[in-house]
Amino acid sequence: MRDFEARLNKLLTWINECVPTAGSAPFVSSRITVKNSPDSGRGLYAVDHIRASEKIVTIPHSLLLNYTTVMAHISKFAPFSLQEPYYGKVNVPSTPIDPVTEIYKTFSLDTLLRLSSFQLLGLYLVLEKRRGENSFWKPFLDMLPELDELSSAPIVWTILKHSEAEHLTRMLPRSTRKHTNDVVSRFENDYNRVSDFLGSATHISKEDFLWAWMCINSRCLYMEMPQKSDASDNFTLAPYVDFLNHSGNDECGIKIDAHGFHVLTSTPYKPDSELYFSYGPHSNEFLLCEYGFTLAYNKWNYVDISDLIMPLLRPQQVAFLKESGYYGDYTVNEQGASFRTEVALATLQENEPSASRKLKAFVDGVIDGLVYQSKSWRLLGQIMKKLIGDSDKKLASEFSSPEGRALATLYKDTKMIAEKTLKGLQ
């Protein structure tokens, strides 16, 4: 804990000593502090009463880590200059020459611009961490989580081949396994692209890049990058702001202007209460796969039952659903089945769905679908009972590790939604 406090004080000193440009002075409210809890990790807490709409943090552009600032820093060593006005917002202090800056000297502008923001920032974080005390970003890098703090994310134990990885993979719900495979694929693509960019002269390990990649993925915040056209490149890392943990409610808001990145409260806070920020309307499955954590209660949870419905569909029913735009993505949440799911259940009741005026009227919203309700509810009830049974079997397994306990949360979520849905059908 003492080491944490020392590193936090260095981070605050680094922020407060930032050289302001055009009025962009840093600000961290005296009404907030950072606490490191063994249970919930790092978070921002109120030390005094805080009003709604009160500014609590401002981080100038020069202290944000994004495509613009990284390019500005690398350009001080690489054989090219950047003339665009948005680079003028970035104050790059003088830093020592070392083996890493010698690597930067080999970078060309054309090849750098072909890297995505994820690829560039991942590469930069790894190389700057190597620089140690020479890195301008060291106070921020020292406060980023270690890889073992992110180990609940399935991608981490998958890539690192955790001793229980095979068992944990078998325990994943199908939709979570698919999401995990998508995340792993994104990571592998970025790692291979960066490895190709560096060539044989410089090597970064997959583990080091995974640390950087997960820090970015779990902490990036939306911010438009003027030199990038892909929406996935529009993000930044914001020191100190990244201590804000996720809530399903919008308890803090963000404003970005010429002076920097500002955080304002959306609700009042009492002393000792934790401040939150919403990462978006994400289910626990999404939060676990992308960020490595889950919430005790998450109003955005849902269960994907596509794998239980789609095998029941006959070819003519599949054709109708595809033509109508309702094939796949069949979900149930606390409020019940989605309309897509209702359409699929209704389609299962038609031998020739394309010729059914009744089904077309339901899909078009002309009728409410009561004519399909009895059989749809019967089938949905059977599916819910299967989910409850499957969840009970999984929850009876051993979930002693932190990774296993995170997976247990997903099955508890599934069982709760299935039980609520089943009760609503009765």
Side-chain angles (χ1 to χ4, degrees):
M1 180 62 73
R2 190 173 302 160
D3 178 58
F4 174 83
E5 293 294 335
R7 287 183 287 125
L8 177 61
N9 288 333
K10 288 182 179 179
L11 176 68
L12 284 168
T13 299
W14 178 73
I15 291 172
N16 289 323
E17 289 180 351
C18 173
V19 178
T21 57
S24 57
F27 171 74
V28 176
S29 173
S30 60
R31 300 178 191 270
I32 60 174
T33 190
V34 179
K35 294 182 182 180
N36 191 19
S37 165
D39 297 324
S40 58
R42 306 158 188 177
L44 278 182
Y45 290 79
V47 296
D48 198 353
H49 289 278
I50 300 176
R51 304 182 308 275
S53 303
E54 182 173 338
K55 185 169 75 171
I56 54 172
V57 179
T58 292
I59 303 298
H61 285 281
S62 292
L63 296 185
L64 299 176
L65 253 177
N66 51 49
Y67 203 96
T68 300
T69 53
V70 169
M71 289 291 289
H73 276 255
I74 289 177
S75 71
K76 297 301 178 181
F77 305 99
F80 59 80
S81 59
L82 301 169
Q83 306 300 324
E84 291 82 355
Y86 38 81
Y87 292 114
K89 297 178 183 178
V90 183
N91 177 48
V92 182
S94 176
T95 55
I97 301 295
D98 58 25
V100 171
T101 59
E102 292 298 324
I103 295 173
Y104 293 154
K105 289 180 181 179
T106 68
F107 292 173
S108 71
L109 181 59
D110 287 344
T111 53
L112 280 172
L113 289 174
R114 293 193 200 109
L115 295 177
S116 70
S117 291
F118 248 96
Q119 293 159 2
L120 178 65
L121 264 68
L123 165 65
Y124 188 71
L125 285 179
V126 172
L127 293 179
E128 285 299 302
K129 193 173 184 181
R130 284 187 189 177
R131 298 187 69 202
E133 296 293 337
N134 284 347
S135 176
F136 167 74
W137 303 98
K138 180 174 171 55
F140 178 43
L141 298 179
D142 284 348
M143 291 304 294
L144 291 173
E146 296 298 327
L147 200 50
D148 60 359
E149 297 177 72
L150 302 164
S151 63
S152 290
I155 180 180
V156 175
W157 44 259
T158 298
I159 296 295
L160 298 186
K161 302 188 185 304
H162 189 289
S163 59
E164 296 184 15
E166 188 175 334
H167 169 68
L168 289 168
T169 299
R170 286 198 305 268
M171 297 297 288
L172 285 173
R174 287 184 182 180
S175 59
T176 312
R177 194 178 307 148
K178 181 179 183 301
H179 194 148
T180 297
N181 290 338
D182 290 343
V183 177
V184 170
S185 178
R186 280 164 31 209
F187 166 78
E188 294 282 6
N189 176 70
D190 287 340
Y191 178 67
N192 291 335
R193 180 70 186 85
V194 166
S195 297
D196 290 344
F197 169 83
L198 289 172
S200 59
T202 304
H203 173 72
I204 60 176
S205 71
K206 185 171 285 191
E207 182 173 340
D208 286 346
F209 192 73
L210 180 61
W211 163 77
W213 199 90
M214 279 300 299
C215 284
I216 297 166
N217 203 47
S218 61
R219 276 156 175 73
C220 64
L221 297 162
Y222 183 83
M223 180 176 173
E224 289 189 7
M225 293 293 108
Q227 66 274 63
K228 306 297 285 185
S229 57
D230 193 321
S232 63
D233 287 310
N234 290 332
F235 68 82
T236 189
L237 295 178
Y240 205 85
V241 177
D242 64 350
F243 291 127
L244 280 167
N245 286 321
H246 168 71
S247 165
N249 303 314
D250 292 321
E251 299 189 17
C252 284
I254 286 173
K255 174 187 173 185
I256 303 171
D257 60 20
H259 303 303
F261 202 98
H262 313 276
V263 180
L264 301 93
T265 57
S266 301
T267 185
Y269 287 92
K270 295 178 180 179
D272 297 323
S273 57
E274 185 173 2
L275 282 71
Y276 290 100
F277 170 73
S278 175
Y279 300 172
H282 300 312
S283 67
N284 271 350
E285 178 184 282
F286 184 97
L287 296 175
L288 181 63
C289 290
E290 298 288 344
Y291 309 140
F293 70 90
T294 58
L295 301 179
Y297 171 72
N298 188 340
K299 66 182 180 181
W300 301 111
N301 281 338
Y302 64 88
V303 180
D304 190 328
I305 59 174
S306 302
D307 289 335
L308 298 174
I309 291 180
M310 292 168 71
L312 305 176
L313 296 166
R314 295 189 293 276
Q316 63 269 33
Q317 294 167 337
V318 170
F320 170 80
L321 289 167
K322 286 184 175 180
E323 185 179 344
S324 303
Y326 286 94
Y327 184 67
D329 193 22
Y330 303 131
T331 61
V332 177
N333 60 25
E334 287 188 56
Q335 286 70 49
S338 67
F339 183 68
R340 292 183 69 86
T341 305
E342 292 182 2
V343 170
L345 294 173
T347 302
L348 279 167
Q349 301 172 43
E350 296 284 357
N351 291 325
E352 296 295 337
S354 297
S356 173
R357 294 181 180 179
K358 179 177 57 177
L359 182 58
K360 186 177 187 306
F362 174 48
V363 172
D364 292 343
V366 177
I367 63 173
D368 57 15
L370 282 175
V371 67
Y372 294 109
Q373 183 173 281
S374 178
K375 290 183 179 180
S376 291
W377 282 15
R378 190 181 309 127
L379 178 55
L380 188 59
Q382 293 171 358
I383 292 173
M384 293 303 105
K385 288 177 183 177
K386 175 173 174 49
L387 289 175
I388 293 169
D390 289 347
S391 297
D392 283 337
K393 287 179 183 178
K394 288 296 193 299
L395 291 170
S397 303
E398 184 62 36
F399 284 111
S400 57
S401 67
E403 297 84 0
R405 289 194 293 272
L407 295 189
T409 299
L410 300 185
Y411 285 107
K412 290 174 184 176
D413 294 341
T414 295
K415 183 178 179 181
M416 183 270 289
I417 290 173
E419 288 178 337
K420 279 194 172 184
T421 302
L422 190 60
K423 185 176 180 180
L425 298 175
Q426 295 170 353

